[in-house]
Amino acid sequence: MPAQLPLALPHRPSLGGSDFLVADANRAAVAWLDAWPDWPSPGLVVWGETGCGKSHLAATWQMRAAAVRLAAQDLAVASVPTLLGAAKAILLEDVDRKPPEPVAWLHLYNLLAERGGHMLLTARAAPARWQIALPDLASRLRALAAVEIAAPDESLVEAVLVKHFADRQMRVPTETVRYIVTRLDRSLGAVARIAADLDAASLAGKRPASIPLAREVLRDAGFAA
Amino acid sequence: MRPQDFGPSLEAQWVRVRARLKGEFGEAAYKSWLKPLTLVGIDDGVARIAVPTRFMQDWVRQHYADRIKTLWRAENKMVRTVEILVQAAAGNQAPAAIPATGTAQRPTASAAARNVYGSANAQANGQAANRATSSPQAANAAAQTALQTAMIGRTQDDVESFGAPLDPRFTFETFVQGKSNEFAAAAARRVADEGKVPFNPLFLYGGVGLGKTHLMHAMAWHIRKRNPQRRVVYLSAEKFMYQFIRAMRFKDTMSFKEQFRSVDVLLVDDVQFISGKDATQEEFFHTFNALVDQNKQIVLSADKSPADLEGLEDRVRSRLGWGLVADIHPTTYELRLGILQSKAEKLGTPMPPKVLEFLAHKIVANVRELEGALNRIVAHSTLVGRPIGLESAQEVLHDLLRASDRRVTIEEIQKKVAEHFAIRLADMHSPRRARQVARPRQVAMYLAKQLTSRSLPEIGRKFGGRDHTTVMHAVRKIDELRAADAAFSEDVELLRRMLEA
């Protein structure tokens, strides 16, 4: 008999600002975002490795600032004024991996700065590391306030793991949680993945989220068990 | 109400205001809406203008009142605001005539205040004006406060709406001069001080973030302050382009031309961005020639000298170089330090000289990044409530200062720690338990846990296939030792810094 295929019931991750877990790794970034609109520059860069929680924070800010989210591929020199409209806050995500066209980006920056607006940029690496061929833009971006979200410490990994389980309405014993935490890379991306995998495996095999199941899931995901 | 002072000079001013309106809005609009305006008088800073119907009153208020106000202000400094009245009411000053001081100016005032970039005070006033709009009196009062908070010349921005607002931080007073920028600064002062046009155009060029925009804003502020009648327009080349594209789309290039050709001083920043844009370049060239012919001052900036600008037609290139070409060189250490000191003073945050020297030494690319770095340090200290020190500054700017963010690997940690304690690298993996190798190995595990995002089992494997509980034990052990032994703790800290550098 084939293993039961779990339905991809979309669990709803809560993205509310108060729901975000503040820890040492992201405390500075949260403080910077809270300080909006009193930023010392026309923008803020929040950077950190995959799964550090950038998008979650960005979405929270977007809501509060009523910011317009722009997609890099839509930005062209001619479309900048239209895309910007009357907005005073802009969100651009993942700009080091998917950078907008530089001249359009520069014009967007200038028009926004001129009206006293702000842009929030998220990226994997710090602005000083971005490959920007246009010097005018590069220097503006490097002058922006920038804050890193560090790799989460163990207590944050644990807290986020528990939150993921709760979001998925899973009951996972404390010892299983501890077992996973000590074996996982310190990345919230890894946490999200393991929570999803464990959920799926538990549903498919109709097995409780026990240590033996966690061991299998970790091993399948490539973590030393 | 006092009888109106309606002398010949006031009449002459009104004629000039009307002529400007005609020039700006064109014959058709002038005929329909502006020709029927009659001046009732000026009293207590309020210019009262009458129109025949209530509908016209609404229309003129919405579309022209701002413009009229600013043109009046340019003619007559006593005028603070403009009231549009319906004729009958204007005659007997009936209370039915609702003062027109409201709607037209209110958003302008708050917008102007909010535009004072970086000024929390003005921002608060802008919000106050917004909140208070439910009550006209309160709104007016708030708008007045906001206007007063906004700097001199600010109000001119609404008439020169096709230009960009000026940054109040960019004045001659805040421009720190050194060898690398003194020629450009002297040329800028000369142009701003002269009533006549000393050289046309003034062309400023230099690398990014060296103060071209600062000088241009400073000139515009200075000219406006000295002579509010002169129409000074500052904008970036790309904004010129966007407005031109817009004008073409709406088939309104005539008013675009009129707009730009009626200014007294035109400052266009970053002209390199119109290179290769043929239609925009052509239009810019016409504007340029028209203004030069009228003996109006033009100031341009670019990242290169006219001769080196690519994508420009030769005739354009050669005309750009006709006036005075002044370049700004990269900063020296002394200038950077001077800029930092001046900026820190303005921020009002106590800043250890060591930190400023460090920044002036380390951040050499340009002034924009230098100021950006200073802003980050100050804001971070405010956010986390810690005083500014050399170490915290380095911490905050680590992404700028370090050559790369490449994470340190477990192998590098093992190598460094082995060197430091003078043991063999192989001892990191060996089963030997002698204290002189076991302790360094624990330190290496501890650092691997701190500096990488590897999991405990992963770390254990890299140390000769040890169990993750061994790693946990090592981390606990080193934590204990660090708490008990300050010298040991410093040793570990030193290793951490060497690995992170």
PDB file of all heavy atoms in Angstrom, chain A residues 41-42 49 77 106-107 110 114 126 129 139 142 148 182-183 186, chain B residues 117 238-239 242 273 368-369 398-399 402 405 449 452-453 457 468:
ATOM      1  N   SER A  41      18.578  57.842   7.082  1.00  0.00           N
ATOM      2  CA  SER A  41      18.817  57.855   5.638  1.00  0.00           C
ATOM      3  C   SER A  41      17.504  57.481   4.935  1.00  0.00           C
ATOM      4  O   SER A  41      16.579  57.012   5.579  1.00  0.00           O
ATOM      5  CB  SER A  41      19.923  56.858   5.290  1.00  0.00           C
ATOM      6  OG  SER A  41      19.650  55.587   5.837  1.00  0.00           O
ATOM      7  N   PRO A  42      17.451  57.685   3.621  1.00  0.00           N
ATOM      8  CA  PRO A  42      16.194  57.406   2.915  1.00  0.00           C
ATOM      9  C   PRO A  42      15.873  55.920   2.815  1.00  0.00           C
ATOM     10  O   PRO A  42      14.996  55.549   2.056  1.00  0.00           O
ATOM     11  CB  PRO A  42      16.429  57.981   1.508  1.00  0.00           C
ATOM     12  CG  PRO A  42      17.658  58.784   1.605  1.00  0.00           C
ATOM     13  CD  PRO A  42      18.460  58.260   2.739  1.00  0.00           C
ATOM     14  N   GLU A  49      21.343  35.665   6.337  1.00  0.00           N
ATOM     15  CA  GLU A  49      21.243  34.460   5.523  1.00  0.00           C
ATOM     16  C   GLU A  49      19.798  34.000   5.371  1.00  0.00           C
ATOM     17  O   GLU A  49      18.924  34.435   6.109  1.00  0.00           O
ATOM     18  CB  GLU A  49      22.094  33.350   6.141  1.00  0.00           C
ATOM     19  CG  GLU A  49      23.571  33.601   5.913  1.00  0.00           C
ATOM     20  CD  GLU A  49      24.442  32.476   6.442  1.00  0.00           C
ATOM     21  OE1 GLU A  49      23.890  31.452   6.889  1.00  0.00           O
ATOM     22  OE2 GLU A  49      25.662  32.647   6.412  1.00  0.00           O
ATOM     23  N   VAL A  77      13.557  52.180 -16.283  1.00  0.00           N
ATOM     24  CA  VAL A  77      13.689  53.636 -16.194  1.00  0.00           C
ATOM     25  C   VAL A  77      12.357  54.331 -16.479  1.00  0.00           C
ATOM     26  O   VAL A  77      11.935  55.216 -15.753  1.00  0.00           O
ATOM     27  CB  VAL A  77      14.791  54.135 -17.153  1.00  0.00           C
ATOM     28  CG1 VAL A  77      14.761  55.647 -17.273  1.00  0.00           C
ATOM     29  CG2 VAL A  77      16.148  53.688 -16.641  1.00  0.00           C
ATOM     30  N   LEU A 106      18.292  53.737  -9.189  1.00  0.00           N
ATOM     31  CA  LEU A 106      18.805  55.038  -8.758  1.00  0.00           C
ATOM     32  C   LEU A 106      17.715  56.115  -8.850  1.00  0.00           C
ATOM     33  O   LEU A 106      17.528  56.908  -7.920  1.00  0.00           O
ATOM     34  CB  LEU A 106      20.002  55.445  -9.626  1.00  0.00           C
ATOM     35  CG  LEU A 106      20.540  56.847  -9.355  1.00  0.00           C
ATOM     36  CD1 LEU A 106      21.246  56.894  -8.005  1.00  0.00           C
ATOM     37  CD2 LEU A 106      21.486  57.299 -10.450  1.00  0.00           C
ATOM     38  N   HIS A 107      16.981  56.124  -9.957  1.00  0.00           N
ATOM     39  CA  HIS A 107      15.920  57.122 -10.115  1.00  0.00           C
ATOM     40  C   HIS A 107      14.860  56.932  -9.031  1.00  0.00           C
ATOM     41  O   HIS A 107      14.338  57.895  -8.475  1.00  0.00           O
ATOM     42  CB  HIS A 107      15.295  57.019 -11.505  1.00  0.00           C
ATOM     43  CG  HIS A 107      16.232  57.398 -12.612  1.00  0.00           C
ATOM     44  ND1 HIS A 107      17.440  58.015 -12.377  1.00  0.00           N
ATOM     45  CD2 HIS A 107      16.151  57.257 -13.968  1.00  0.00           C
ATOM     46  CE1 HIS A 107      18.050  58.226 -13.539  1.00  0.00           C
ATOM     47  NE2 HIS A 107      17.291  57.762 -14.513  1.00  0.00           N
ATOM     48  N   ASN A 110      16.185  58.357  -5.876  1.00  0.00           N
ATOM     49  CA  ASN A 110      16.202  59.823  -5.881  1.00  0.00           C
ATOM     50  C   ASN A 110      14.806  60.409  -5.709  1.00  0.00           C
ATOM     51  O   ASN A 110      14.606  61.345  -4.934  1.00  0.00           O
ATOM     52  CB  ASN A 110      16.825  60.345  -7.174  1.00  0.00           C
ATOM     53  CG  ASN A 110      18.337  60.194  -7.169  1.00  0.00           C
ATOM     54  OD1 ASN A 110      18.942  59.973  -6.118  1.00  0.00           O
ATOM     55  ND2 ASN A 110      18.954  60.294  -8.331  1.00  0.00           N
ATOM     56  N   GLU A 114      13.671  62.506  -2.444  1.00  0.00           N
ATOM     57  CA  GLU A 114      13.242  63.887  -2.653  1.00  0.00           C
ATOM     58  C   GLU A 114      11.942  64.183  -1.907  1.00  0.00           C
ATOM     59  O   GLU A 114      11.730  65.283  -1.424  1.00  0.00           O
ATOM     60  CB  GLU A 114      13.053  64.054  -4.156  1.00  0.00           C
ATOM     61  CG  GLU A 114      12.710  65.427  -4.613  1.00  0.00           C
ATOM     62  CD  GLU A 114      12.444  65.404  -6.114  1.00  0.00           C
ATOM     63  OE1 GLU A 114      13.358  65.036  -6.873  1.00  0.00           O
ATOM     64  OE2 GLU A 114      11.321  65.732  -6.504  1.00  0.00           O
ATOM     65  N   ALA A 126      25.560  42.112   3.003  1.00  0.00           N
ATOM     66  CA  ALA A 126      25.572  43.547   3.298  1.00  0.00           C
ATOM     67  C   ALA A 126      25.755  44.353   2.010  1.00  0.00           C
ATOM     68  O   ALA A 126      26.350  43.858   1.054  1.00  0.00           O
ATOM     69  CB  ALA A 126      26.707  43.858   4.259  1.00  0.00           C
ATOM     70  N   ARG A 129      28.785  44.433  -0.084  1.00  0.00           N
ATOM     71  CA  ARG A 129      29.149  43.245  -0.870  1.00  0.00           C
ATOM     72  C   ARG A 129      28.386  43.166  -2.191  1.00  0.00           C
ATOM     73  O   ARG A 129      28.627  42.284  -2.980  1.00  0.00           O
ATOM     74  CB  ARG A 129      28.818  41.964  -0.099  1.00  0.00           C
ATOM     75  CG  ARG A 129      29.328  41.937   1.283  1.00  0.00           C
ATOM     76  CD  ARG A 129      30.759  41.448   1.354  1.00  0.00           C
ATOM     77  NE  ARG A 129      31.283  41.689   2.671  1.00  0.00           N
ATOM     78  CZ  ARG A 129      31.965  42.778   3.004  1.00  0.00           C
ATOM     79  NH1 ARG A 129      32.235  43.693   2.097  1.00  0.00           N
ATOM     80  NH2 ARG A 129      32.390  42.956   4.234  1.00  0.00           N
ATOM     81  N   SER A 139      27.101  54.072  -4.177  1.00  0.00           N
ATOM     82  CA  SER A 139      27.459  54.896  -3.017  1.00  0.00           C
ATOM     83  C   SER A 139      26.225  55.255  -2.207  1.00  0.00           C
ATOM     84  O   SER A 139      26.278  55.351  -0.988  1.00  0.00           O
ATOM     85  CB  SER A 139      28.227  56.144  -3.465  1.00  0.00           C
ATOM     86  OG  SER A 139      27.373  57.234  -3.643  1.00  0.00           O
ATOM     87  N   ARG A 142      25.397  52.126  -0.197  1.00  0.00           N
ATOM     88  CA  ARG A 142      26.368  51.873   0.877  1.00  0.00           C
ATOM     89  C   ARG A 142      26.220  52.867   2.021  1.00  0.00           C
ATOM     90  O   ARG A 142      26.667  52.608   3.133  1.00  0.00           O
ATOM     91  CB  ARG A 142      27.792  51.929   0.329  1.00  0.00           C
ATOM     92  CG  ARG A 142      28.133  50.744  -0.544  1.00  0.00           C
ATOM     93  CD  ARG A 142      29.427  51.013  -1.275  1.00  0.00           C
ATOM     94  NE  ARG A 142      30.532  51.113  -0.340  1.00  0.00           N
ATOM     95  CZ  ARG A 142      31.495  50.219  -0.222  1.00  0.00           C
ATOM     96  NH1 ARG A 142      31.482  49.163  -0.993  1.00  0.00           N
ATOM     97  NH2 ARG A 142      32.459  50.379   0.650  1.00  0.00           N
ATOM     98  N   GLU A 148      22.261  43.793  10.315  1.00  0.00           N
ATOM     99  CA  GLU A 148      22.310  42.362  10.040  1.00  0.00           C
ATOM    100  C   GLU A 148      21.379  41.599  10.974  1.00  0.00           C
ATOM    101  O   GLU A 148      21.250  41.950  12.153  1.00  0.00           O
ATOM    102  CB  GLU A 148      23.741  41.848  10.238  1.00  0.00           C
ATOM    103  CG  GLU A 148      23.866  40.358   9.964  1.00  0.00           C
ATOM    104  CD  GLU A 148      25.254  39.797  10.270  1.00  0.00           C
ATOM    105  OE1 GLU A 148      26.079  40.530  10.832  1.00  0.00           O
ATOM    106  OE2 GLU A 148      25.487  38.619   9.948  1.00  0.00           O
ATOM    107  N   THR A 182      19.299  20.345  18.850  1.00  0.00           N
ATOM    108  CA  THR A 182      20.745  20.110  18.973  1.00  0.00           C
ATOM    109  C   THR A 182      21.342  19.552  17.685  1.00  0.00           C
ATOM    110  O   THR A 182      22.553  19.501  17.546  1.00  0.00           O
ATOM    111  CB  THR A 182      21.063  19.127  20.123  1.00  0.00           C
ATOM    112  OG1 THR A 182      20.221  17.982  19.976  1.00  0.00           O
ATOM    113  CG2 THR A 182      20.838  19.766  21.472  1.00  0.00           C
ATOM    114  N   ARG A 183      20.494  19.128  16.770  1.00  0.00           N
ATOM    115  CA  ARG A 183      21.020  18.504  15.554  1.00  0.00           C
ATOM    116  C   ARG A 183      20.838  19.348  14.298  1.00  0.00           C
ATOM    117  O   ARG A 183      21.270  18.970  13.216  1.00  0.00           O
ATOM    118  CB  ARG A 183      20.343  17.145  15.358  1.00  0.00           C
ATOM    119  CG  ARG A 183      20.949  16.094  16.263  1.00  0.00           C
ATOM    120  CD  ARG A 183      20.019  14.935  16.489  1.00  0.00           C
ATOM    121  NE  ARG A 183      20.639  13.996  17.417  1.00  0.00           N
ATOM    122  CZ  ARG A 183      20.622  14.122  18.737  1.00  0.00           C
ATOM    123  NH1 ARG A 183      20.010  15.159  19.290  1.00  0.00           N
ATOM    124  NH2 ARG A 183      21.218  13.237  19.524  1.00  0.00           N
ATOM    125  N   ARG A 186      21.853  26.237  12.586  1.00  0.00           N
ATOM    126  CA  ARG A 186      21.171  27.389  13.167  1.00  0.00           C
ATOM    127  C   ARG A 186      20.643  28.300  12.047  1.00  0.00           C
ATOM    128  O   ARG A 186      21.184  29.342  11.760  1.00  0.00           O
ATOM    129  CB  ARG A 186      22.115  28.142  14.094  1.00  0.00           C
ATOM    130  CG  ARG A 186      22.377  27.351  15.367  1.00  0.00           C
ATOM    131  CD  ARG A 186      23.155  28.142  16.355  1.00  0.00           C
ATOM    132  NE  ARG A 186      24.529  28.350  15.928  1.00  0.00           N
ATOM    133  CZ  ARG A 186      25.146  29.506  15.985  1.00  0.00           C
ATOM    134  NH1 ARG A 186      24.541  30.575  16.429  1.00  0.00           N
ATOM    135  NH2 ARG A 186      26.388  29.613  15.585  1.00  0.00           N
TER     136      ARG A 186
ATOM    137  N   TYR B 117      13.290  67.216   5.067  1.00  0.00           N
ATOM    138  CA  TYR B 117      13.763  65.863   5.288  1.00  0.00           C
ATOM    139  C   TYR B 117      14.627  65.766   6.532  1.00  0.00           C
ATOM    140  O   TYR B 117      15.554  66.522   6.734  1.00  0.00           O
ATOM    141  CB  TYR B 117      14.533  65.433   4.040  1.00  0.00           C
ATOM    142  CG  TYR B 117      15.216  64.134   4.202  1.00  0.00           C
ATOM    143  CD1 TYR B 117      14.502  63.041   4.653  1.00  0.00           C
ATOM    144  CD2 TYR B 117      16.556  64.007   3.942  1.00  0.00           C
ATOM    145  CE1 TYR B 117      15.121  61.852   4.819  1.00  0.00           C
ATOM    146  CE2 TYR B 117      17.175  62.817   4.099  1.00  0.00           C
ATOM    147  CZ  TYR B 117      16.463  61.745   4.535  1.00  0.00           C
ATOM    148  OH  TYR B 117      17.067  60.550   4.695  1.00  0.00           O
ATOM    149  N   GLU B 238      17.269  63.366 -14.387  1.00  0.00           N
ATOM    150  CA  GLU B 238      16.265  62.344 -14.655  1.00  0.00           C
ATOM    151  C   GLU B 238      14.862  62.903 -14.443  1.00  0.00           C
ATOM    152  O   GLU B 238      13.919  62.543 -15.120  1.00  0.00           O
ATOM    153  CB  GLU B 238      16.497  61.102 -13.803  1.00  0.00           C
ATOM    154  CG  GLU B 238      16.111  61.215 -12.348  1.00  0.00           C
ATOM    155  CD  GLU B 238      17.281  60.935 -11.418  1.00  0.00           C
ATOM    156  OE1 GLU B 238      18.435  61.187 -11.836  1.00  0.00           O
ATOM    157  OE2 GLU B 238      17.051  60.471 -10.294  1.00  0.00           O
ATOM    158  N   LYS B 239      14.728  63.843 -13.508  1.00  0.00           N
ATOM    159  CA  LYS B 239      13.417  64.442 -13.279  1.00  0.00           C
ATOM    160  C   LYS B 239      13.029  65.290 -14.497  1.00  0.00           C
ATOM    161  O   LYS B 239      11.871  65.314 -14.903  1.00  0.00           O
ATOM    162  CB  LYS B 239      13.436  65.284 -12.002  1.00  0.00           C
ATOM    163  CG  LYS B 239      12.051  65.671 -11.573  1.00  0.00           C
ATOM    164  CD  LYS B 239      11.926  65.853 -10.091  1.00  0.00           C
ATOM    165  CE  LYS B 239      10.475  66.169  -9.774  1.00  0.00           C
ATOM    166  NZ  LYS B 239      10.216  66.367  -8.371  1.00  0.00           N
ATOM    167  N   TYR B 242      11.794  62.783 -16.934  1.00  0.00           N
ATOM    168  CA  TYR B 242      10.459  62.254 -16.643  1.00  0.00           C
ATOM    169  C   TYR B 242       9.377  63.283 -16.961  1.00  0.00           C
ATOM    170  O   TYR B 242       8.311  62.953 -17.467  1.00  0.00           O
ATOM    171  CB  TYR B 242      10.360  61.838 -15.172  1.00  0.00           C
ATOM    172  CG  TYR B 242      11.043  60.516 -14.895  1.00  0.00           C
ATOM    173  CD1 TYR B 242      11.855  60.348 -13.776  1.00  0.00           C
ATOM    174  CD2 TYR B 242      10.870  59.436 -15.740  1.00  0.00           C
ATOM    175  CE1 TYR B 242      12.491  59.146 -13.521  1.00  0.00           C
ATOM    176  CE2 TYR B 242      11.494  58.227 -15.492  1.00  0.00           C
ATOM    177  CZ  TYR B 242      12.305  58.084 -14.380  1.00  0.00           C
ATOM    178  OH  TYR B 242      12.920  56.892 -14.136  1.00  0.00           O
ATOM    179  N   PHE B 273      22.825  61.550 -16.877  1.00  0.00           N
ATOM    180  CA  PHE B 273      21.699  60.638 -17.063  1.00  0.00           C
ATOM    181  C   PHE B 273      20.820  60.981 -18.264  1.00  0.00           C
ATOM    182  O   PHE B 273      19.889  60.251 -18.567  1.00  0.00           O
ATOM    183  CB  PHE B 273      20.859  60.540 -15.788  1.00  0.00           C
ATOM    184  CG  PHE B 273      21.536  59.716 -14.751  1.00  0.00           C
ATOM    185  CD1 PHE B 273      22.014  60.275 -13.585  1.00  0.00           C
ATOM    186  CD2 PHE B 273      21.746  58.367 -14.966  1.00  0.00           C
ATOM    187  CE1 PHE B 273      22.680  59.516 -12.646  1.00  0.00           C
ATOM    188  CE2 PHE B 273      22.405  57.592 -14.038  1.00  0.00           C
ATOM    189  CZ  PHE B 273      22.878  58.168 -12.873  1.00  0.00           C
ATOM    190  N   ARG B 368      29.496  60.820   1.035  1.00  0.00           N
ATOM    191  CA  ARG B 368      28.169  60.277   1.290  1.00  0.00           C
ATOM    192  C   ARG B 368      28.265  59.039   2.182  1.00  0.00           C
ATOM    193  O   ARG B 368      27.545  58.897   3.165  1.00  0.00           O
ATOM    194  CB  ARG B 368      27.479  59.938  -0.021  1.00  0.00           C
ATOM    195  CG  ARG B 368      26.043  59.480   0.187  1.00  0.00           C
ATOM    196  CD  ARG B 368      25.404  59.043  -1.102  1.00  0.00           C
ATOM    197  NE  ARG B 368      25.152  60.159  -1.992  1.00  0.00           N
ATOM    198  CZ  ARG B 368      25.493  60.192  -3.264  1.00  0.00           C
ATOM    199  NH1 ARG B 368      26.108  59.168  -3.802  1.00  0.00           N
ATOM    200  NH2 ARG B 368      25.236  61.236  -4.014  1.00  0.00           N
ATOM    201  N   GLU B 369      29.202  58.154   1.840  1.00  0.00           N
ATOM    202  CA  GLU B 369      29.354  56.936   2.634  1.00  0.00           C
ATOM    203  C   GLU B 369      29.918  57.231   4.021  1.00  0.00           C
ATOM    204  O   GLU B 369      29.573  56.579   5.000  1.00  0.00           O
ATOM    205  CB  GLU B 369      30.235  55.930   1.888  1.00  0.00           C
ATOM    206  CG  GLU B 369      29.504  55.336   0.702  1.00  0.00           C
ATOM    207  CD  GLU B 369      30.377  54.466  -0.184  1.00  0.00           C
ATOM    208  OE1 GLU B 369      31.243  53.768   0.351  1.00  0.00           O
ATOM    209  OE2 GLU B 369      30.179  54.495  -1.407  1.00  0.00           O
ATOM    210  N   HIS B 398      30.727  46.663  10.778  1.00  0.00           N
ATOM    211  CA  HIS B 398      31.598  45.550  10.391  1.00  0.00           C
ATOM    212  C   HIS B 398      31.442  45.136   8.936  1.00  0.00           C
ATOM    213  O   HIS B 398      32.392  44.735   8.291  1.00  0.00           O
ATOM    214  CB  HIS B 398      31.408  44.345  11.331  1.00  0.00           C
ATOM    215  CG  HIS B 398      30.091  43.658  11.175  1.00  0.00           C
ATOM    216  ND1 HIS B 398      29.966  42.470  10.528  1.00  0.00           N
ATOM    217  CD2 HIS B 398      28.843  44.001  11.562  1.00  0.00           C
ATOM    218  CE1 HIS B 398      28.696  42.098  10.535  1.00  0.00           C
ATOM    219  NE2 HIS B 398      27.996  43.017  11.150  1.00  0.00           N
ATOM    220  N   ASP B 399      30.230  45.307   8.389  1.00  0.00           N
ATOM    221  CA  ASP B 399      30.025  44.923   6.992  1.00  0.00           C
ATOM    222  C   ASP B 399      30.799  45.835   6.043  1.00  0.00           C
ATOM    223  O   ASP B 399      31.236  45.423   4.985  1.00  0.00           O
ATOM    224  CB  ASP B 399      28.545  44.943   6.642  1.00  0.00           C
ATOM    225  CG  ASP B 399      27.891  46.269   6.967  1.00  0.00           C
ATOM    226  OD1 ASP B 399      27.949  46.677   8.140  1.00  0.00           O
ATOM    227  OD2 ASP B 399      27.331  46.900   6.064  1.00  0.00           O
ATOM    228  N   ARG B 402      35.010  45.145   6.990  1.00  0.00           N
ATOM    229  CA  ARG B 402      35.662  43.875   6.706  1.00  0.00           C
ATOM    230  C   ARG B 402      35.691  43.612   5.216  1.00  0.00           C
ATOM    231  O   ARG B 402      34.757  43.963   4.489  1.00  0.00           O
ATOM    232  CB  ARG B 402      34.914  42.748   7.420  1.00  0.00           C
ATOM    233  CG  ARG B 402      35.883  41.850   8.157  1.00  0.00           C
ATOM    234  CD  ARG B 402      35.154  40.738   8.839  1.00  0.00           C
ATOM    235  NE  ARG B 402      34.362  41.209   9.962  1.00  0.00           N
ATOM    236  CZ  ARG B 402      33.258  40.583  10.380  1.00  0.00           C
ATOM    237  NH1 ARG B 402      32.806  39.527   9.739  1.00  0.00           N
ATOM    238  NH2 ARG B 402      32.610  41.021  11.423  1.00  0.00           N
ATOM    239  N   ASP B 405      32.371  38.956   4.035  1.00  0.00           N
ATOM    240  CA  ASP B 405      31.548  38.368   5.094  1.00  0.00           C
ATOM    241  C   ASP B 405      31.666  36.858   5.115  1.00  0.00           C
ATOM    242  O   ASP B 405      30.910  36.183   5.788  1.00  0.00           O
ATOM    243  CB  ASP B 405      30.068  38.705   4.850  1.00  0.00           C
ATOM    244  CG  ASP B 405      29.779  40.124   5.247  1.00  0.00           C
ATOM    245  OD1 ASP B 405      30.420  40.600   6.188  1.00  0.00           O
ATOM    246  OD2 ASP B 405      28.921  40.738   4.615  1.00  0.00           O
ATOM    247  N   LYS B 449      31.157  26.481  17.539  1.00  0.00           N
ATOM    248  CA  LYS B 449      29.750  26.671  17.905  1.00  0.00           C
ATOM    249  C   LYS B 449      29.369  28.161  17.806  1.00  0.00           C
ATOM    250  O   LYS B 449      28.289  28.512  17.344  1.00  0.00           O
ATOM    251  CB  LYS B 449      29.523  26.148  19.322  1.00  0.00           C
ATOM    252  CG  LYS B 449      28.129  26.369  19.874  1.00  0.00           C
ATOM    253  CD  LYS B 449      27.157  25.366  19.260  1.00  0.00           C
ATOM    254  CE  LYS B 449      25.792  25.387  19.934  1.00  0.00           C
ATOM    255  NZ  LYS B 449      25.188  26.676  19.995  1.00  0.00           N
ATOM    256  N   THR B 452      30.209  29.566  13.644  1.00  0.00           N
ATOM    257  CA  THR B 452      29.583  28.979  12.459  1.00  0.00           C
ATOM    258  C   THR B 452      28.142  28.627  12.819  1.00  0.00           C
ATOM    259  O   THR B 452      27.756  28.657  13.986  1.00  0.00           O
ATOM    260  CB  THR B 452      30.287  27.680  12.000  1.00  0.00           C
ATOM    261  OG1 THR B 452      29.920  26.616  12.895  1.00  0.00           O
ATOM    262  CG2 THR B 452      31.800  27.827  11.993  1.00  0.00           C
ATOM    263  N   SER B 453      27.358  28.315  11.795  1.00  0.00           N
ATOM    264  CA  SER B 453      25.982  27.918  12.088  1.00  0.00           C
ATOM    265  C   SER B 453      25.829  26.406  11.981  1.00  0.00           C
ATOM    266  O   SER B 453      24.740  25.886  11.846  1.00  0.00           O
ATOM    267  CB  SER B 453      25.020  28.647  11.151  1.00  0.00           C
ATOM    268  OG  SER B 453      25.340  28.338   9.818  1.00  0.00           O
ATOM    269  N   PRO B 457      26.134  17.893  15.994  1.00  0.00           N
ATOM    270  CA  PRO B 457      26.666  16.641  15.436  1.00  0.00           C
ATOM    271  C   PRO B 457      27.670  16.899  14.312  1.00  0.00           C
ATOM    272  O   PRO B 457      28.680  16.199  14.193  1.00  0.00           O
ATOM    273  CB  PRO B 457      25.413  15.931  14.899  1.00  0.00           C
ATOM    274  CG  PRO B 457      24.283  16.532  15.652  1.00  0.00           C
ATOM    275  CD  PRO B 457      24.668  17.943  15.941  1.00  0.00           C
ATOM    276  N   HIS B 468      27.852  14.494  19.566  1.00  0.00           N
ATOM    277  CA  HIS B 468      27.425  15.883  19.781  1.00  0.00           C
ATOM    278  C   HIS B 468      27.401  16.237  21.270  1.00  0.00           C
ATOM    279  O   HIS B 468      27.547  17.391  21.645  1.00  0.00           O
ATOM    280  CB  HIS B 468      26.071  16.163  19.120  1.00  0.00           C
ATOM    281  CG  HIS B 468      24.882  15.701  19.898  1.00  0.00           C
ATOM    282  ND1 HIS B 468      24.367  14.437  19.766  1.00  0.00           N
ATOM    283  CD2 HIS B 468      24.133  16.339  20.820  1.00  0.00           C
ATOM    284  CE1 HIS B 468      23.336  14.321  20.581  1.00  0.00           C
ATOM    285  NE2 HIS B 468      23.165  15.453  21.228  1.00  0.00           N
TER     286      HIS B 468
END
